[in-house]
Amino acid sequence: MTIWLLAVLLLAALAGLGLRQGAIRVLLSFFGIVIGGLLAGPLGHLVKPLLSAAGVKHPVYLALLP
């Protein structure tokens, strides 16, 4: 029940944000977030060698930072 209330509250907040900013701006922001999330995995593999070359040696940092 609590998760449903949280979901309804989140949807209401996003609807209010959409009305305040405008549908086109919110839609473009949403697409930017989705594309950024999709590109994070492939581009993270490119950043990992740069971090190890910069001196980051801890395996947890090498897994999370890229």
Side-chain angles (χ1 to χ4, degrees):
M1 181 70 176
T2 305
I3 193 72
W4 288 107
L5 291 174
L6 182 63
V8 169
L9 182 66
L10 183 64
L11 285 175
L14 291 176
L17 183 67
L19 285 174
R20 185 172 178 265
Q21 282 189 340
I24 302 297
R25 287 185 181 178
V26 172
L27 184 69
L28 290 176
S29 295
F30 175 72
F31 282 147
I33 290 169
V34 169
I35 290 171
L38 291 174
L39 289 176
L43 293 179
H45 294 295
L46 296 174
V47 174
K48 190 173 181 178
L50 295 175
L51 287 175
S52 60
V56 178
K57 300 282 189 238
H58 199 278
V60 174
Y61 293 151
L62 286 175
L64 294 178
L65 288 178

